[in-house]
Each structure stands twice: as C-alpha cells, then as structure tokens.
Amino acid sequence: MRAPGRQPDRLRALIAAGVLAVMTIGAAGCAESDRDNGADKGAGGGTFILAGAGDPKNFDPIFNDDGESFRPIRQMYDTLITHKPGTAELVGGLAESWSNDPTGKIWTFKLRQGVTFHDGTAFDAAAVCANFDRWSAMKGEAAQSQMIYYADVFGGFAGSPDAVYDNCKAPDAGTAVVTMKKYKGAFPGAFALTAFSIASPAAMKQYGADTVTQSGDSFSYSAFANEHPTGTGAFTFGGWNKATGELTLNKNPNYWGDKAKVDKMIIKVIKDENTRKQELRAGTVQAIDFPAPADRKALAAEGYQVLERPAFNILYLGINQKNNPKLKDLRVRQAIAYALNRAQLVQTKGPGGAAVADQFLPSTVLGYAPDVQKYEYSVDKAKQLLADAGATGLTLNFYYPTEVSRPYMPNPQEIFTVLANDLQAAGIKVNGVPRPWNGGFKDDVQQFGKQDLHILGWTGDYNDPGNFVGTFFGRAKPEFGDQSMTEMFSAIAKADATVDQAAKKTAWEQVNRDMATKWLPAVPIWHAPPALVTTKNVQGLVPSPLTAETFNTVSITK
C-alpha cells in the first residue's frame, strides 16, 4: 500500500536532487517572501537552540549507532566522504576525491590539505590510517559489542575470518590507501557513515578512547568519548550538562569548510514531544525534530517552517527467537505478521505520506522486489497458524522505548499500544516492557536479547540494499536470536559480494522474496517521512533525507 502522490520515481528524484517539501501556510509564507526580499541580510552570530528528542550515548563516533548521538557528533567530526546537503549524493569530505581499483578492494583517498583537528594537530593520511587501524584492532568484548556499524560493515575485527578490512597505508601525507580483503557492496557509501568519522589520534591516546567497561547491563566510556571529543568539524565541544539536558557546541573558527554562521549551538534534550512543541511556541528553542504527525499542519498554520524529509526509512516489529521456542516456528512468525493491521496504523498514527512496508527497504533502493509475499491483515489466518503450530495462548514480552522519538517512530508508546491490541485480538497475550532509549532499551534489545518482540527501525545511510537488509539480517544478532538462520546470512553475503549491478539486483530481489516467505525474522511496518520544525527567523537549515543534517549553514535573522 502506497500513499497517493508518493510514487517511487518521485521519491527517487526527491532523494537524488534534494527537493524537500516545506509546508508554508499563513505567516510561514510571509517568511519565505522576507527571505526573497533580503530580510536575512546581516544575519550571523548568536545562538541556535534545537530541541533533541533523546540523550546522546557518548561522543566517540565508533561506539554509536543512533541518531540522537550522531546529531552532535556530525557537527564535531567529518568523514572522508560525505553527502551533498539535502541529498544522498556522495561528495568529498575530508577526502577531496577517491577512487578504487577494478576489484573494488583497494580505495585511494586524496586528502584535503591544511586541515587540523580541534586540538591543533594535523589531519593527514597517518591520522586516517590510525583511525582505521584502531577500529580493526579494538580489544575487549565490551568495546567491540558497542561497534555495531563496524561489525555490520567490516564483518569482524583483526584476526576474524569474516574481517573485510586488511590494512591502510599512507604513501604520503595527502594520500591514504585502504585495502579490503574482499569486495563489499557497501563501499564507497559506507565511508560516509558518521560512525566512521575521523578523530584526532593524539586526543584519543591522551584521553584513553578505547576504554569501555561493562558492569551488568551498563556500559561506561572514556574521557575522550564523554568530555574531550576531538574531530575536524565546524563546531567544537563546549560541554554536556546532563542536569539541564543541554549540550553546547561552539563555532570552530579554523574549520576547513564553510564556517558556522552562528557562534554557538545548543542541543536541548526534551524527551516529550508535547513539551518540545510548547518550548518552540514559547520561543525557548528555535527548532524541534520529529513533531507529532497530527501537529504539522497546525504548526505550519501558526507560521512555523515545517521541513519534511522523504521517507528513506523503515519501522519494523522485531521477533527474537531465543527466549520463547515457539518463535522459532515460521508459522508463528507468520501469524504475528497477519495479526497486525498495519494499514490502520499508518492511517491513524502515521504522518502524511507514510506507507505500509512489505519489505525492509524503501522501493527506491536496488533489490526491492514488488512481488514479495504480502501479509494482509487477517485475524482468522493468524489464529489458524497459531493453532497449527500448537501456539494457541502464546504469551510474549514486548519491549518498546520511552523518552525518545525517532524519524521512523514518532511516538513509540502509541505504536506499541496499537500493535499490542492487534496481537491480543489474535489471541496472543502481550506483556509490555517500556525501557528508556539509551542505557536501557537499546542494550536490552540489541546486546542482551531480553525481549520476545520489540519495535525498532532505521533511516538509510546510503542507497544500497546492504545498508538496510544486510545491516539487520546479515549476521547473527541478539536482537533476533537468529543464530541458526545460516542460509539467510549466506544469501545476503552472496548478494552483497556481487559486483555486476544487474546480477546484484537479481540477487537482492531474491533475498527479499525469501525474507518474506522462508525466514521472516521480523515484520516490516511502515515507511514514514519525518520532519523538522523551525521558527521563521531560522534560515539556511537544509533537511536531509538521511536525517543527517549539519548546522554550520544555519543563521538567525535579526
């Protein structure tokens, strides 16, 4: 089911060209006219305050995988390759250019000259190699467990037979050569991942960046990660006041690119969506992320700028096969899929433009298969499958996050409630388990696999099926308890290693068909376009389809 007006070709064009919708009703239209008349002349300096939706975990890029942590990290660090603002198009970052050999295993980066880290040390090829070597050689189960992006993209650490990374050489200060052990379809797009931002080797050494300790279900990080994050980005770290929930970023006057137009940026963590909206109206913040779908038109009518991003994401219901043996039965997982009235969820809780998902990637991504098995809502089919599997009266622990909104999940509690009611109508008893996002839900679900069911999702980092399906299901994970699904892992690895584009497309399409009919490790729910809302005096904010905004372009009109 696809919402009217959100056709694949149009969405593809939106993402590629960066044409993002701006709802401007009433006074918002006047704001557009004011810009045309030059009302923002002389804008510069001051403080830009954005309301974030959740706490960052820490500020060491490699130990993070969530948007609330990446938001400040993206302002303080740079990657070798980045995206043209407002699009998914790859452009040079710390590398002015890049190339690969015919095998796709050797990548050569020509680096920008004269770039320095925030501690004054030089950015050069040796620094690039120090970062790649650090990731590969990371020691300790606690540290490795937090490097989710690295494990997903690079397969394993030094010494592992699954490791993709081989070595990095610096033939001169301006050239870094990264060699892989095998071809992987993730590159070059994966070089733009925020997790692979380049940090100062000197600062990492001084502040013990590799120190990660685990106590029970909790993880602690280094002084580098919490107090001294040091990159090359447009903003420097100004402090994280956990008591007030305010993270301060200061303009980097020595930035190599377009310098920040404001002197300071504050990310104010406000976990409740309604409170974020109230503070926007009170003028205590100038921008909020992830407004409630029902509020967008009203805010636009009041004169606020509502900046919509394309729906380059997925929300899914995860199924963990570890704790309840009934969930290992495909028929039970299919019953769960049939029990969910996803069309009604989209209609009642989704933002405008949301669409029911029938697979784990948007239709604009290579490998999308329009002929996959659909699980249309049917309580009768769900009950029959449960009976056939001897699972009548099934009881499941359903985890969902609190104190956060995500691009694909604007109100987790409301979504949980609807899905739980659907399951109960099919005869499945649901025990709801709410957990705080960082330091609770994510660790319980992704590290320890405590749940039977959970809601989670993903915003794409680059336009490749491996970034969606491969990230979720390319290796065994506690999130799904799917260690025995070796056929699925092998099929994904084979598709990801296919160099010829036509053959790659065919291989991924078959993976997606089999995902629906043979494996079903989770149930895709929807694709939902997230939005940003700003006051009318905020100029230059370019929304990203990847929710990967940088804020050096933002100015506040006088």
PDB file of all heavy atoms in Angstrom, residues 48 72-77 118 229 231-238 248-253 255 259-266 550-554:
ATOM      1  N   PHE A  48      21.966  29.196  18.234  1.00  0.00           N
ATOM      2  CA  PHE A  48      20.888  28.402  17.652  1.00  0.00           C
ATOM      3  C   PHE A  48      20.566  27.273  18.626  1.00  0.00           C
ATOM      4  O   PHE A  48      21.449  26.486  19.001  1.00  0.00           O
ATOM      5  CB  PHE A  48      21.317  27.838  16.298  1.00  0.00           C
ATOM      6  CG  PHE A  48      20.360  26.849  15.688  1.00  0.00           C
ATOM      7  CD1 PHE A  48      19.017  27.166  15.527  1.00  0.00           C
ATOM      8  CD2 PHE A  48      20.802  25.602  15.265  1.00  0.00           C
ATOM      9  CE1 PHE A  48      18.137  26.252  14.960  1.00  0.00           C
ATOM     10  CE2 PHE A  48      19.933  24.690  14.690  1.00  0.00           C
ATOM     11  CZ  PHE A  48      18.590  25.016  14.537  1.00  0.00           C
ATOM     12  N   PRO A  72      24.987  15.473  17.450  1.00  0.00           N
ATOM     13  CA  PRO A  72      26.124  16.319  17.822  1.00  0.00           C
ATOM     14  C   PRO A  72      27.447  15.842  17.238  1.00  0.00           C
ATOM     15  O   PRO A  72      28.315  16.673  16.893  1.00  0.00           O
ATOM     16  CB  PRO A  72      26.138  16.240  19.354  1.00  0.00           C
ATOM     17  CG  PRO A  72      25.432  14.977  19.686  1.00  0.00           C
ATOM     18  CD  PRO A  72      24.387  14.813  18.624  1.00  0.00           C
ATOM     19  N   ILE A  73      27.622  14.522  17.113  1.00  0.00           N
ATOM     20  CA  ILE A  73      28.870  14.008  16.552  1.00  0.00           C
ATOM     21  C   ILE A  73      29.097  14.553  15.149  1.00  0.00           C
ATOM     22  O   ILE A  73      30.212  14.929  14.768  1.00  0.00           O
ATOM     23  CB  ILE A  73      28.846  12.461  16.553  1.00  0.00           C
ATOM     24  CG1 ILE A  73      29.025  11.941  17.976  1.00  0.00           C
ATOM     25  CG2 ILE A  73      29.913  11.892  15.626  1.00  0.00           C
ATOM     26  CD1 ILE A  73      28.805  10.448  18.112  1.00  0.00           C
ATOM     27  N   ARG A  74      28.035  14.627  14.369  1.00  0.00           N
ATOM     28  CA  ARG A  74      28.141  15.089  12.985  1.00  0.00           C
ATOM     29  C   ARG A  74      28.603  16.544  12.897  1.00  0.00           C
ATOM     30  O   ARG A  74      29.167  16.962  11.890  1.00  0.00           O
ATOM     31  CB  ARG A  74      26.782  14.905  12.300  1.00  0.00           C
ATOM     32  CG  ARG A  74      26.818  14.885  10.799  1.00  0.00           C
ATOM     33  CD  ARG A  74      25.456  14.532  10.247  1.00  0.00           C
ATOM     34  NE  ARG A  74      25.146  13.127  10.430  1.00  0.00           N
ATOM     35  CZ  ARG A  74      24.189  12.656  11.204  1.00  0.00           C
ATOM     36  NH1 ARG A  74      23.418  13.498  11.892  1.00  0.00           N
ATOM     37  NH2 ARG A  74      23.985  11.364  11.322  1.00  0.00           N
ATOM     38  N   GLN A  75      28.368  17.314  13.947  1.00  0.00           N
ATOM     39  CA  GLN A  75      28.798  18.720  13.942  1.00  0.00           C
ATOM     40  C   GLN A  75      30.275  18.850  14.324  1.00  0.00           C
ATOM     41  O   GLN A  75      30.924  19.824  13.938  1.00  0.00           O
ATOM     42  CB  GLN A  75      27.947  19.545  14.919  1.00  0.00           C
ATOM     43  CG  GLN A  75      26.457  19.280  14.892  1.00  0.00           C
ATOM     44  CD  GLN A  75      25.854  19.233  13.517  1.00  0.00           C
ATOM     45  OE1 GLN A  75      26.134  20.086  12.667  1.00  0.00           O
ATOM     46  NE2 GLN A  75      24.990  18.236  13.267  1.00  0.00           N
ATOM     47  N   MET A  76      30.788  17.879  15.079  1.00  0.00           N
ATOM     48  CA  MET A  76      32.157  17.977  15.602  1.00  0.00           C
ATOM     49  C   MET A  76      33.185  17.221  14.772  1.00  0.00           C
ATOM     50  O   MET A  76      34.390  17.451  14.927  1.00  0.00           O
ATOM     51  CB  MET A  76      32.190  17.457  17.041  1.00  0.00           C
ATOM     52  CG  MET A  76      31.365  18.278  18.019  1.00  0.00           C
ATOM     53  SD  MET A  76      31.551  17.722  19.728  1.00  0.00           S
ATOM     54  CE  MET A  76      30.513  16.252  19.742  1.00  0.00           C
ATOM     55  N   TYR A  77      32.734  16.315  13.936  1.00  0.00           N
ATOM     56  CA  TYR A  77      33.642  15.463  13.167  1.00  0.00           C
ATOM     57  C   TYR A  77      33.286  15.540  11.678  1.00  0.00           C
ATOM     58  O   TYR A  77      32.206  15.990  11.308  1.00  0.00           O
ATOM     59  CB  TYR A  77      33.518  14.010  13.601  1.00  0.00           C
ATOM     60  CG  TYR A  77      33.908  13.688  15.026  1.00  0.00           C
ATOM     61  CD1 TYR A  77      32.993  13.854  16.064  1.00  0.00           C
ATOM     62  CD2 TYR A  77      35.157  13.155  15.327  1.00  0.00           C
ATOM     63  CE1 TYR A  77      33.328  13.512  17.374  1.00  0.00           C
ATOM     64  CE2 TYR A  77      35.499  12.817  16.631  1.00  0.00           C
ATOM     65  CZ  TYR A  77      34.582  13.003  17.651  1.00  0.00           C
ATOM     66  OH  TYR A  77      34.909  12.655  18.936  1.00  0.00           O
ATOM     67  N   HIS A 118      40.605  19.739  16.240  1.00  0.00           N
ATOM     68  CA  HIS A 118      40.304  20.789  17.213  1.00  0.00           C
ATOM     69  C   HIS A 118      41.414  20.993  18.231  1.00  0.00           C
ATOM     70  O   HIS A 118      41.505  22.063  18.844  1.00  0.00           O
ATOM     71  CB  HIS A 118      39.002  20.460  17.957  1.00  0.00           C
ATOM     72  CG  HIS A 118      37.804  20.412  17.058  1.00  0.00           C
ATOM     73  ND1 HIS A 118      36.633  19.781  17.418  1.00  0.00           N
ATOM     74  CD2 HIS A 118      37.589  20.902  15.808  1.00  0.00           C
ATOM     75  CE1 HIS A 118      35.746  19.886  16.426  1.00  0.00           C
ATOM     76  NE2 HIS A 118      36.302  20.553  15.442  1.00  0.00           N
ATOM     77  N   PRO A 229      35.732  14.977  23.043  1.00  0.00           N
ATOM     78  CA  PRO A 229      35.629  14.542  21.645  1.00  0.00           C
ATOM     79  C   PRO A 229      36.363  15.528  20.743  1.00  0.00           C
ATOM     80  O   PRO A 229      36.171  16.739  20.851  1.00  0.00           O
ATOM     81  CB  PRO A 229      34.125  14.544  21.386  1.00  0.00           C
ATOM     82  CG  PRO A 229      33.569  15.530  22.378  1.00  0.00           C
ATOM     83  CD  PRO A 229      34.438  15.413  23.592  1.00  0.00           C
ATOM     84  N   GLY A 231      37.411  16.247  16.802  1.00  0.00           N
ATOM     85  CA  GLY A 231      37.390  15.978  15.372  1.00  0.00           C
ATOM     86  C   GLY A 231      37.887  17.164  14.590  1.00  0.00           C
ATOM     87  O   GLY A 231      38.686  17.971  15.077  1.00  0.00           O
ATOM     88  N   THR A 232      37.388  17.300  13.357  1.00  0.00           N
ATOM     89  CA  THR A 232      37.769  18.412  12.484  1.00  0.00           C
ATOM     90  C   THR A 232      36.559  19.271  12.127  1.00  0.00           C
ATOM     91  O   THR A 232      36.653  20.140  11.270  1.00  0.00           O
ATOM     92  CB  THR A 232      38.380  17.881  11.170  1.00  0.00           C
ATOM     93  OG1 THR A 232      37.417  17.017  10.536  1.00  0.00           O
ATOM     94  CG2 THR A 232      39.675  17.109  11.414  1.00  0.00           C
ATOM     95  N   GLY A 233      35.407  19.048  12.770  1.00  0.00           N
ATOM     96  CA  GLY A 233      34.146  19.607  12.315  1.00  0.00           C
ATOM     97  C   GLY A 233      33.965  21.090  12.531  1.00  0.00           C
ATOM     98  O   GLY A 233      34.805  21.785  13.129  1.00  0.00           O
ATOM     99  N   ALA A 234      32.810  21.587  12.061  1.00  0.00           N
ATOM    100  CA  ALA A 234      32.505  23.017  12.083  1.00  0.00           C
ATOM    101  C   ALA A 234      32.229  23.541  13.485  1.00  0.00           C
ATOM    102  O   ALA A 234      32.232  24.756  13.707  1.00  0.00           O
ATOM    103  CB  ALA A 234      31.312  23.307  11.179  1.00  0.00           C
ATOM    104  N   PHE A 235      31.978  22.641  14.426  1.00  0.00           N
ATOM    105  CA  PHE A 235      31.754  23.029  15.817  1.00  0.00           C
ATOM    106  C   PHE A 235      32.685  22.235  16.726  1.00  0.00           C
ATOM    107  O   PHE A 235      33.028  21.081  16.434  1.00  0.00           O
ATOM    108  CB  PHE A 235      30.301  22.763  16.240  1.00  0.00           C
ATOM    109  CG  PHE A 235      29.290  23.675  15.599  1.00  0.00           C
ATOM    110  CD1 PHE A 235      28.713  23.337  14.389  1.00  0.00           C
ATOM    111  CD2 PHE A 235      28.906  24.864  16.210  1.00  0.00           C
ATOM    112  CE1 PHE A 235      27.766  24.163  13.794  1.00  0.00           C
ATOM    113  CE2 PHE A 235      27.965  25.692  15.620  1.00  0.00           C
ATOM    114  CZ  PHE A 235      27.398  25.345  14.409  1.00  0.00           C
ATOM    115  N   THR A 236      33.061  22.838  17.851  1.00  0.00           N
ATOM    116  CA  THR A 236      33.851  22.160  18.863  1.00  0.00           C
ATOM    117  C   THR A 236      32.977  21.872  20.081  1.00  0.00           C
ATOM    118  O   THR A 236      31.936  22.501  20.281  1.00  0.00           O
ATOM    119  CB  THR A 236      35.059  23.007  19.300  1.00  0.00           C
ATOM    120  OG1 THR A 236      34.582  24.220  19.908  1.00  0.00           O
ATOM    121  CG2 THR A 236      35.939  23.361  18.110  1.00  0.00           C
ATOM    122  N   PHE A 237      33.410  20.927  20.876  1.00  0.00           N
ATOM    123  CA  PHE A 237      32.650  20.518  22.053  1.00  0.00           C
ATOM    124  C   PHE A 237      32.733  21.590  23.137  1.00  0.00           C
ATOM    125  O   PHE A 237      33.814  22.015  23.536  1.00  0.00           O
ATOM    126  CB  PHE A 237      33.206  19.198  22.585  1.00  0.00           C
ATOM    127  CG  PHE A 237      32.456  18.616  23.742  1.00  0.00           C
ATOM    128  CD1 PHE A 237      31.161  18.149  23.579  1.00  0.00           C
ATOM    129  CD2 PHE A 237      33.045  18.517  24.997  1.00  0.00           C
ATOM    130  CE1 PHE A 237      30.465  17.587  24.636  1.00  0.00           C
ATOM    131  CE2 PHE A 237      32.362  17.952  26.069  1.00  0.00           C
ATOM    132  CZ  PHE A 237      31.066  17.483  25.887  1.00  0.00           C
ATOM    133  N   GLY A 238      31.561  22.020  23.629  1.00  0.00           N
ATOM    134  CA  GLY A 238      31.520  23.040  24.664  1.00  0.00           C
ATOM    135  C   GLY A 238      31.006  22.556  25.996  1.00  0.00           C
ATOM    136  O   GLY A 238      30.933  23.316  26.954  1.00  0.00           O
ATOM    137  N   THR A 248      26.371  21.903  24.540  1.00  0.00           N
ATOM    138  CA  THR A 248      26.834  23.138  23.905  1.00  0.00           C
ATOM    139  C   THR A 248      27.920  22.836  22.883  1.00  0.00           C
ATOM    140  O   THR A 248      28.883  22.114  23.164  1.00  0.00           O
ATOM    141  CB  THR A 248      27.383  24.118  24.960  1.00  0.00           C
ATOM    142  OG1 THR A 248      26.346  24.428  25.896  1.00  0.00           O
ATOM    143  CG2 THR A 248      27.864  25.404  24.301  1.00  0.00           C
ATOM    144  N   LEU A 249      27.756  23.410  21.702  1.00  0.00           N
ATOM    145  CA  LEU A 249      28.741  23.314  20.623  1.00  0.00           C
ATOM    146  C   LEU A 249      29.145  24.722  20.223  1.00  0.00           C
ATOM    147  O   LEU A 249      28.286  25.580  20.019  1.00  0.00           O
ATOM    148  CB  LEU A 249      28.155  22.572  19.425  1.00  0.00           C
ATOM    149  CG  LEU A 249      27.630  21.153  19.691  1.00  0.00           C
ATOM    150  CD1 LEU A 249      26.882  20.624  18.477  1.00  0.00           C
ATOM    151  CD2 LEU A 249      28.778  20.220  20.055  1.00  0.00           C
ATOM    152  N   ASN A 250      30.444  24.961  20.129  1.00  0.00           N
ATOM    153  CA  ASN A 250      30.965  26.281  19.788  1.00  0.00           C
ATOM    154  C   ASN A 250      31.503  26.314  18.369  1.00  0.00           C
ATOM    155  O   ASN A 250      32.037  25.315  17.874  1.00  0.00           O
ATOM    156  CB  ASN A 250      32.085  26.676  20.760  1.00  0.00           C
ATOM    157  CG  ASN A 250      31.588  26.814  22.186  1.00  0.00           C
ATOM    158  OD1 ASN A 250      30.514  27.366  22.420  1.00  0.00           O
ATOM    159  ND2 ASN A 250      32.349  26.295  23.143  1.00  0.00           N
ATOM    160  N   LYS A 251      31.369  27.452  17.741  1.00  0.00           N
ATOM    161  CA  LYS A 251      31.880  27.625  16.376  1.00  0.00           C
ATOM    162  C   LYS A 251      33.372  27.352  16.325  1.00  0.00           C
ATOM    163  O   LYS A 251      34.146  27.822  17.172  1.00  0.00           O
ATOM    164  CB  LYS A 251      31.596  29.059  15.915  1.00  0.00           C
ATOM    165  CG  LYS A 251      32.150  29.402  14.535  1.00  0.00           C
ATOM    166  CD  LYS A 251      31.795  30.830  14.164  1.00  0.00           C
ATOM    167  CE  LYS A 251      32.331  31.209  12.782  1.00  0.00           C
ATOM    168  NZ  LYS A 251      31.909  32.572  12.391  1.00  0.00           N
ATOM    169  N   ASN A 252      33.799  26.586  15.337  1.00  0.00           N
ATOM    170  CA  ASN A 252      35.209  26.325  15.100  1.00  0.00           C
ATOM    171  C   ASN A 252      35.727  27.368  14.116  1.00  0.00           C
ATOM    172  O   ASN A 252      35.445  27.293  12.913  1.00  0.00           O
ATOM    173  CB  ASN A 252      35.395  24.925  14.528  1.00  0.00           C
ATOM    174  CG  ASN A 252      36.842  24.628  14.152  1.00  0.00           C
ATOM    175  OD1 ASN A 252      37.748  25.372  14.508  1.00  0.00           O
ATOM    176  ND2 ASN A 252      37.049  23.531  13.431  1.00  0.00           N
ATOM    177  N   PRO A 253      36.484  28.368  14.595  1.00  0.00           N
ATOM    178  CA  PRO A 253      36.934  29.432  13.693  1.00  0.00           C
ATOM    179  C   PRO A 253      37.956  28.960  12.666  1.00  0.00           C
ATOM    180  O   PRO A 253      38.212  29.665  11.685  1.00  0.00           O
ATOM    181  CB  PRO A 253      37.557  30.453  14.651  1.00  0.00           C
ATOM    182  CG  PRO A 253      37.985  29.646  15.836  1.00  0.00           C
ATOM    183  CD  PRO A 253      36.969  28.554  15.977  1.00  0.00           C
ATOM    184  N   TYR A 255      37.696  26.051  10.934  1.00  0.00           N
ATOM    185  CA  TYR A 255      37.128  24.981  10.122  1.00  0.00           C
ATOM    186  C   TYR A 255      37.565  25.101   8.674  1.00  0.00           C
ATOM    187  O   TYR A 255      37.606  26.202   8.105  1.00  0.00           O
ATOM    188  CB  TYR A 255      35.605  25.011  10.225  1.00  0.00           C
ATOM    189  CG  TYR A 255      34.920  23.855   9.529  1.00  0.00           C
ATOM    190  CD1 TYR A 255      35.293  22.544   9.804  1.00  0.00           C
ATOM    191  CD2 TYR A 255      33.912  24.080   8.601  1.00  0.00           C
ATOM    192  CE1 TYR A 255      34.671  21.478   9.184  1.00  0.00           C
ATOM    193  CE2 TYR A 255      33.273  23.011   7.970  1.00  0.00           C
ATOM    194  CZ  TYR A 255      33.662  21.719   8.265  1.00  0.00           C
ATOM    195  OH  TYR A 255      33.047  20.658   7.633  1.00  0.00           O
ATOM    196  N   LYS A 259      32.393  27.942   7.345  1.00  0.00           N
ATOM    197  CA  LYS A 259      32.367  28.127   8.795  1.00  0.00           C
ATOM    198  C   LYS A 259      30.939  28.361   9.288  1.00  0.00           C
ATOM    199  O   LYS A 259      30.093  28.894   8.567  1.00  0.00           O
ATOM    200  CB  LYS A 259      33.280  29.288   9.185  1.00  0.00           C
ATOM    201  CG  LYS A 259      34.764  29.003   8.921  1.00  0.00           C
ATOM    202  CD  LYS A 259      35.635  30.184   9.267  1.00  0.00           C
ATOM    203  CE  LYS A 259      37.102  29.815   9.127  1.00  0.00           C
ATOM    204  NZ  LYS A 259      37.464  29.298   7.793  1.00  0.00           N
ATOM    205  N   ALA A 260      30.690  27.949  10.522  1.00  0.00           N
ATOM    206  CA  ALA A 260      29.367  28.109  11.108  1.00  0.00           C
ATOM    207  C   ALA A 260      28.968  29.574  11.124  1.00  0.00           C
ATOM    208  O   ALA A 260      29.778  30.455  11.422  1.00  0.00           O
ATOM    209  CB  ALA A 260      29.361  27.540  12.524  1.00  0.00           C
ATOM    210  N   LYS A 261      27.699  29.837  10.841  1.00  0.00           N
ATOM    211  CA  LYS A 261      27.198  31.215  10.832  1.00  0.00           C
ATOM    212  C   LYS A 261      26.780  31.684  12.218  1.00  0.00           C
ATOM    213  O   LYS A 261      26.704  32.878  12.464  1.00  0.00           O
ATOM    214  CB  LYS A 261      26.030  31.323   9.848  1.00  0.00           C
ATOM    215  CG  LYS A 261      26.457  31.104   8.401  1.00  0.00           C
ATOM    216  CD  LYS A 261      25.292  31.313   7.435  1.00  0.00           C
ATOM    217  CE  LYS A 261      25.764  31.146   5.998  1.00  0.00           C
ATOM    218  NZ  LYS A 261      24.659  31.358   5.019  1.00  0.00           N
ATOM    219  N   VAL A 262      26.481  30.733  13.111  1.00  0.00           N
ATOM    220  CA  VAL A 262      26.170  31.103  14.486  1.00  0.00           C
ATOM    221  C   VAL A 262      27.413  30.887  15.342  1.00  0.00           C
ATOM    222  O   VAL A 262      28.298  30.095  14.997  1.00  0.00           O
ATOM    223  CB  VAL A 262      24.989  30.285  15.055  1.00  0.00           C
ATOM    224  CG1 VAL A 262      23.708  30.607  14.301  1.00  0.00           C
ATOM    225  CG2 VAL A 262      25.277  28.790  15.015  1.00  0.00           C
ATOM    226  N   ASP A 263      27.489  31.592  16.455  1.00  0.00           N
ATOM    227  CA  ASP A 263      28.635  31.445  17.351  1.00  0.00           C
ATOM    228  C   ASP A 263      28.529  30.189  18.197  1.00  0.00           C
ATOM    229  O   ASP A 263      29.540  29.619  18.615  1.00  0.00           O
ATOM    230  CB  ASP A 263      28.744  32.657  18.283  1.00  0.00           C
ATOM    231  CG  ASP A 263      28.997  33.952  17.524  1.00  0.00           C
ATOM    232  OD1 ASP A 263      29.756  33.908  16.532  1.00  0.00           O
ATOM    233  OD2 ASP A 263      28.432  34.986  17.909  1.00  0.00           O
ATOM    234  N   LYS A 264      27.307  29.789  18.450  1.00  0.00           N
ATOM    235  CA  LYS A 264      27.091  28.677  19.366  1.00  0.00           C
ATOM    236  C   LYS A 264      25.816  27.939  18.975  1.00  0.00           C
ATOM    237  O   LYS A 264      24.861  28.548  18.503  1.00  0.00           O
ATOM    238  CB  LYS A 264      26.968  29.201  20.800  1.00  0.00           C
ATOM    239  CG  LYS A 264      26.818  28.156  21.888  1.00  0.00           C
ATOM    240  CD  LYS A 264      26.650  28.802  23.255  1.00  0.00           C
ATOM    241  CE  LYS A 264      27.904  29.569  23.657  1.00  0.00           C
ATOM    242  NZ  LYS A 264      27.793  30.112  25.051  1.00  0.00           N
ATOM    243  N   MET A 265      25.842  26.643  19.192  1.00  0.00           N
ATOM    244  CA  MET A 265      24.641  25.827  19.010  1.00  0.00           C
ATOM    245  C   MET A 265      24.397  25.060  20.297  1.00  0.00           C
ATOM    246  O   MET A 265      25.330  24.509  20.894  1.00  0.00           O
ATOM    247  CB  MET A 265      24.809  24.849  17.846  1.00  0.00           C
ATOM    248  CG  MET A 265      23.619  23.921  17.683  1.00  0.00           C
ATOM    249  SD  MET A 265      23.800  22.779  16.292  1.00  0.00           S
ATOM    250  CE  MET A 265      22.259  21.849  16.466  1.00  0.00           C
ATOM    251  N   ILE A 266      23.150  25.034  20.739  1.00  0.00           N
ATOM    252  CA  ILE A 266      22.776  24.251  21.915  1.00  0.00           C
ATOM    253  C   ILE A 266      21.744  23.213  21.491  1.00  0.00           C
ATOM    254  O   ILE A 266      20.739  23.544  20.865  1.00  0.00           O
ATOM    255  CB  ILE A 266      22.196  25.141  23.028  1.00  0.00           C
ATOM    256  CG1 ILE A 266      23.285  26.081  23.571  1.00  0.00           C
ATOM    257  CG2 ILE A 266      21.620  24.288  24.161  1.00  0.00           C
ATOM    258  CD1 ILE A 266      22.770  27.078  24.587  1.00  0.00           C
ATOM    259  N   THR A 550      23.718  18.901   8.994  1.00  0.00           N
ATOM    260  CA  THR A 550      24.785  19.668   9.632  1.00  0.00           C
ATOM    261  C   THR A 550      24.274  21.103   9.745  1.00  0.00           C
ATOM    262  O   THR A 550      23.498  21.563   8.909  1.00  0.00           O
ATOM    263  CB  THR A 550      26.085  19.622   8.817  1.00  0.00           C
ATOM    264  OG1 THR A 550      25.819  20.012   7.462  1.00  0.00           O
ATOM    265  CG2 THR A 550      26.676  18.219   8.821  1.00  0.00           C
ATOM    266  N   PHE A 551      24.716  21.804  10.788  1.00  0.00           N
ATOM    267  CA  PHE A 551      24.089  23.076  11.129  1.00  0.00           C
ATOM    268  C   PHE A 551      25.015  24.275  10.964  1.00  0.00           C
ATOM    269  O   PHE A 551      24.693  25.365  11.430  1.00  0.00           O
ATOM    270  CB  PHE A 551      23.557  23.007  12.564  1.00  0.00           C
ATOM    271  CG  PHE A 551      22.506  21.939  12.745  1.00  0.00           C
ATOM    272  CD1 PHE A 551      22.816  20.751  13.387  1.00  0.00           C
ATOM    273  CD2 PHE A 551      21.232  22.103  12.240  1.00  0.00           C
ATOM    274  CE1 PHE A 551      21.863  19.752  13.546  1.00  0.00           C
ATOM    275  CE2 PHE A 551      20.267  21.118  12.383  1.00  0.00           C
ATOM    276  CZ  PHE A 551      20.587  19.934  13.042  1.00  0.00           C
ATOM    277  N   ASN A 552      26.121  24.087  10.269  1.00  0.00           N
ATOM    278  CA  ASN A 552      27.008  25.228  10.012  1.00  0.00           C
ATOM    279  C   ASN A 552      26.369  26.234   9.056  1.00  0.00           C
ATOM    280  O   ASN A 552      26.781  27.396   9.014  1.00  0.00           O
ATOM    281  CB  ASN A 552      28.359  24.760   9.460  1.00  0.00           C
ATOM    282  CG  ASN A 552      28.243  23.920   8.215  1.00  0.00           C
ATOM    283  OD1 ASN A 552      27.428  22.998   8.149  1.00  0.00           O
ATOM    284  ND2 ASN A 552      29.063  24.206   7.217  1.00  0.00           N
ATOM    285  N   THR A 553      25.355  25.811   8.307  1.00  0.00           N
ATOM    286  CA  THR A 553      24.691  26.709   7.349  1.00  0.00           C
ATOM    287  C   THR A 553      23.581  27.541   7.984  1.00  0.00           C
ATOM    288  O   THR A 553      23.024  28.431   7.343  1.00  0.00           O
ATOM    289  CB  THR A 553      24.088  25.888   6.205  1.00  0.00           C
ATOM    290  OG1 THR A 553      23.146  24.945   6.744  1.00  0.00           O
ATOM    291  CG2 THR A 553      25.168  25.123   5.440  1.00  0.00           C
ATOM    292  N   VAL A 554      23.245  27.243   9.228  1.00  0.00           N
ATOM    293  CA  VAL A 554      22.097  27.893   9.874  1.00  0.00           C
ATOM    294  C   VAL A 554      22.462  29.292  10.354  1.00  0.00           C
ATOM    295  O   VAL A 554      23.519  29.513  10.950  1.00  0.00           O
ATOM    296  CB  VAL A 554      21.606  27.050  11.066  1.00  0.00           C
ATOM    297  CG1 VAL A 554      20.578  27.817  11.896  1.00  0.00           C
ATOM    298  CG2 VAL A 554      21.015  25.739  10.569  1.00  0.00           C
TER     299      VAL A 554
END
